[in-house]
């Protein structure tokens, strides 16, 4: 098994060797709630070892690697939220990809989905570069922040309901500290997971769809966006214009 040890020089690593580690769902709840800043929260997110199946998988992938990245060191840890500390926009995805975020140390970085996403964010003014290849590559988000509903790469890209629920307090606290005005969810899983993190989530839960817009009592607006997965982009279910339309609407809001 392989992963980057906290505080050993990985670019933008939020943790140190002394960062407290969650080993149980109760640990996650306590450590998330006690985090007084986004810096403290993301450090704790990045060393979590609560879900045995996810820990085993992410570290096995980091050890075995994909042939195209055989010469690279993989991050192999949970992917913390990143971006602006006072964002107007929060982007919430499903989970890091095994050879994307789990390799690069940053959500949506280093895979085809990220290529589409960052190009759109750059065109709409939310990112300073049109590509993102690795943590520390100079990419920055403008008035925006990214997080995942599940922080570890799951086998077959399918976290279990138990893993989703165990990870939820990390997202709850990140939203509390970041206080975004707009939240864009990428895909149906992130859309469903988000409602459990919001105290004023409507009932019944709104149905997911591309461009669906929900205004909460708090004044926050949630926008649905199809995930820019290879399947969606190859088939034309998601186009560059569709992504741009969602992020331009987010900017307008």
């Amino acid at each position: 098994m392989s992963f980057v040890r906290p505080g050993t020089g990985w670019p933008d690593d939020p943790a140190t060797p002394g960062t407290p580690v969650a080993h149980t769902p109760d640990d996650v709840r306590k450590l998330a709630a006690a985090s007084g800043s986004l810096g403290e929260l993301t450090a704790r997110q990045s060393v979590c070892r609560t879900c045995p199946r996810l820990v085993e998988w992410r570290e096995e992938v980091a050890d075995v690697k994909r042939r195209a990245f055989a010469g690279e060191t993989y991050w192999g840890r949970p992917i913390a939220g990143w971006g602006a500390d006072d964002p107007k926009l929060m982007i919430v995805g499903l989970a890091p990809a095994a050879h994307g975020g789990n390799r690069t140390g940053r959500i949506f970085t280093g895979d085809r989905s990220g290529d589409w996403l960052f190009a759109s964010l750059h065109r709409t003014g939310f990112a300073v570069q049109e590509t993102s290849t690795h943590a520390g590559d100079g990419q920055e988000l403008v008035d925006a922040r990214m997080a995942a509903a599940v922080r570890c790469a799951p086998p077959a890209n399918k976290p279990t309901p138990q893993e989703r629920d165990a990870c939820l307090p990390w997202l709850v606290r990140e939203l509390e500290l970041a206080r975004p005005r707009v939240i864009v969810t990428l895909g149906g899983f992130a859309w469903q997971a988000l409602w459990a993190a919001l105290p004023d989530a409507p009932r019944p839960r709104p149905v997911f769809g591309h461009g669906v817009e929900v205004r909460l009592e708090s004044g926050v607006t949630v926008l649905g966006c199809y995930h820019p997965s290879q399947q969606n982009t190859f088939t034309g279910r998601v186009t560059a214009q569709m992504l741009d339309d969602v992020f331009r609407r987010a900017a307008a809001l």
Side-chain angles (χ1 to χ4, degrees):
M1 301 300 178
S2 175
F3 62 94
V4 172
R5 304 288 173 179
T8 55
W10 187 277
D12 300 328
D13 186 348
T16 70
T19 299
V21 179
H23 292 277
T24 67
D26 191 51
D27 287 346
V28 174
R29 287 189 291 271
K30 291 177 180 177
L31 289 173
S35 296
S37 68
L38 282 168
E40 187 174 35
L41 178 69
T42 55
R44 294 172 177 186
Q45 290 171 349
S46 76
V47 295
C48 184
R49 301 186 67 81
T50 296
C51 302
R53 186 182 80 114
L54 297 186
V55 171
E56 181 180 7
W57 172 252
R58 77 190 191 209
E59 294 177 9
E60 179 181 347
V61 169
D63 187 43
V64 176
K65 306 178 183 180
R66 178 175 285 171
R67 182 177 297 177
F69 309 120
E72 296 188 23
T73 298
Y74 275 51
W75 171 252
R77 282 166 45 196
I79 307 299
W82 76 285
D85 286 343
D86 187 22
K88 297 175 182 177
L89 169 66
M90 175 74 86
I91 302 163
V92 179
L94 163 60
H99 302 280
N102 190 57
R103 173 177 60 89
T104 66
R106 197 163 61 193
I107 189 71
F108 285 114
T109 292
D111 59 26
R112 294 291 179 85
S113 296
D115 292 344
W116 278 73
L117 177 61
F118 284 106
S120 181
L121 292 174
H122 180 66
R123 290 191 297 267
T124 54
F126 287 112
V128 301
Q129 297 177 177
E130 63 182 358
T131 61
S132 182
T133 59
H134 207 281
D137 64 358
Q139 179 65 282
E140 295 180 13
L141 298 180
V142 180
D143 289 332
R145 188 173 184 85
M146 287 186 183
V150 176
R151 306 292 167 141
C152 296
N157 206 33
K158 293 181 179 179
T160 67
Q162 293 77 18
E163 291 161 350
R164 175 203 62 200
D165 293 347
C167 214
L168 179 64
W170 295 131
L171 180 60
V172 170
R173 187 58 177 153
E174 192 155 359
L175 289 168
E176 290 173 348
L177 292 169
R179 296 171 298 160
R181 300 178 191 176
V182 181
I183 303 171
V184 170
T185 64
L186 297 176
F189 185 100
W191 175 269
Q192 294 298 332
L194 176 68
W195 301 119
L198 297 172
D200 57 344
R203 289 188 178 277
R205 299 287 191 251
V207 177
F208 173 71
H210 187 80
V212 170
E213 187 171 318
V214 180
R215 178 86 168 182
L216 304 179
E217 292 181 2
S218 63
V220 173
T221 299
V222 178
L223 295 173
C225 181
Y226 287 156
H227 195 289
S229 65
Q230 287 193 56
Q231 180 179 3
N232 283 345
T233 56
F234 282 178
T235 61
R237 188 169 190 247
V238 173
T239 65
Q241 185 64 56
M242 290 170 67
L243 290 177
D244 290 359
D245 287 346
V246 168
F247 290 113
R248 288 198 175 102
R249 176 58 179 159
L253 288 167

